[in-house]
Amino acid sequence: MPKGQQSQRDKGAAPVRKRLSPAARQAEIVQAAVDLFAETGFDGSTREVARRAGITQPLLYRYFPDKQSLIEAAYSRVFLETWDPAWDALLQDRSRPVVDRFQSFYEAYTEIVFQPVWLRLWYYALLRDAQVHAWYREVVQEQILKPMVRERRAELGQGDAFAVTVEELDVPWLLHGGLLNHGLRQLAGQAGNRGDSPDRPAIIRKALNLFLQQSAPDAG
C-alpha cells in the first residue's frame, strides 16, 4: 500500500463514499448518529457522525441542516419507530383482564427496549438532554400510561372519562420507570450485552401487582 494511503488510514479518515440513493444515504446518517449518541450521549459531534457514515460534513448538512434536526431524526428512529401499532389495541382489549393485557404489553415492549442502544439513549436523555427526554415522556404518557389509567378505571367500574390527572399518572410512572431502571441495571451487570434477564416476566408481574394495588379504590 502506498505510504500516503497508509497515513490516511492511520489518522482514521472517512472510508470511500458509497453510491446510495438519497433515502438510503439519509438512513445511514441517522444510524451513524444513533450509534454515536448511544456511546457518547447527545454531545457527539456532527463531524464524527459524518466520519462514521463515510461522508463529508458538508454533505451531512445537505440532509440535516443542523445538529438538532439530526438529534430529532435519531430520536424518531429509536423511540418512535420501535412502537408497534398492535400495542394500542392490546392495551384496550377489554375482553381480557387489565393485568393480562398489561403483562403481555410490557413483555413485548421490554423485548424491544431492553437493548443497549435504546437504554443508553434513554439514560443520556434523562441525564443530559431535557428536550429529548420531554419528547419521550409525552409519548409514554399518551400511548401507554393514560390508556392504562383509563382501562384500570373501566375495570373498576369508575367510568370512561377521557381526561387523566397528573396525580393519576404518578403510580403508572413508577411502574414504567421502575421497569426501565431494571433493564438498565441488567445492562450494566451483563457487561453491556443486553438489559434483559430470565426473570423479566416475573419482574413485570410484580410491578403490575403493585400498580393494581395502588390504583384500587381503598389504596392509600
Side-chain angles (χ1 to χ4, degrees), residues 26-217:
Q26 181 169 324
E28 278 210 345
I29 294 170
V30 174
Q31 189 58 54
V34 167
D35 293 341
L36 176 63
F37 295 153
E39 294 174 15
T40 67
F42 296 100
D43 295 332
S45 69
T46 55
R47 184 181 301 278
E48 178 61 16
V49 172
R51 190 192 71 78
R52 292 185 178 210
I55 61 175
T56 63
Q57 194 173 22
L59 179 56
L60 182 148
Y61 284 130
R62 287 174 54 186
Y63 290 89
F64 299 96
D66 51 39
K67 184 177 176 181
Q68 187 60 30
S69 63
L70 186 57
I71 289 174
E72 291 175 9
Y75 164 84
S76 180
R77 169 74 61 86
V78 174
F79 294 120
L80 300 184
E81 294 177 19
T82 53
W83 182 264
D84 185 343
W87 294 340
D88 295 308
L90 172 60
L91 287 170
Q92 299 176 61
D93 179 8
R94 294 186 180 177
S95 68
R96 303 173 59 188
V98 292
V99 66
D100 291 344
R101 283 183 262 163
F102 298 168
Q103 179 77 28
S104 295
F105 165 73
Y106 270 113
E107 286 187 21
Y109 182 75
T110 54
E111 178 69 24
I112 297 298
V113 306
F114 279 13
Q115 304 289 340
V117 167
W118 197 102
L119 288 169
R120 287 171 184 155
L121 282 178
W122 171 73
Y123 181 69
Y124 282 128
L126 180 65
L127 288 182
R128 299 185 183 180
D129 198 301
Q131 184 174 26
V132 174
H133 191 251
W135 294 336
Y136 171 73
R137 284 180 59 87
E138 182 68 17
V139 169
V140 169
Q141 287 189 168
E142 295 303 319
Q143 292 189 282
I144 302 175
L145 306 189
K146 287 183 180 180
M148 287 178 67
V149 170
R150 296 186 189 108
E151 294 306 305
R152 178 61 170 154
R153 281 187 197 150
E155 185 171 77
L156 293 171
Q158 296 175 344
D160 286 324
F162 188 77
V164 175
T165 67
V166 173
E167 290 75 18
E168 287 180 294
L169 290 171
D170 285 343
V171 174
W173 262 123
L174 289 174
L175 160 67
H176 190 86
L179 289 174
L180 292 185
N181 276 291
H182 171 74
L184 200 61
R185 291 195 306 272
Q186 292 295 316
L187 179 67
Q190 296 178 19
N193 291 328
R194 180 170 174 165
D196 205 350
S197 62
D199 62 343
R200 179 166 52 91
I203 294 294
I204 293 170
R205 178 67 69 170
K206 289 179 182 178
L208 284 173
N209 286 339
L210 289 174
F211 164 72
L212 297 176
Q213 291 170 16
Q214 290 299 314
S215 60

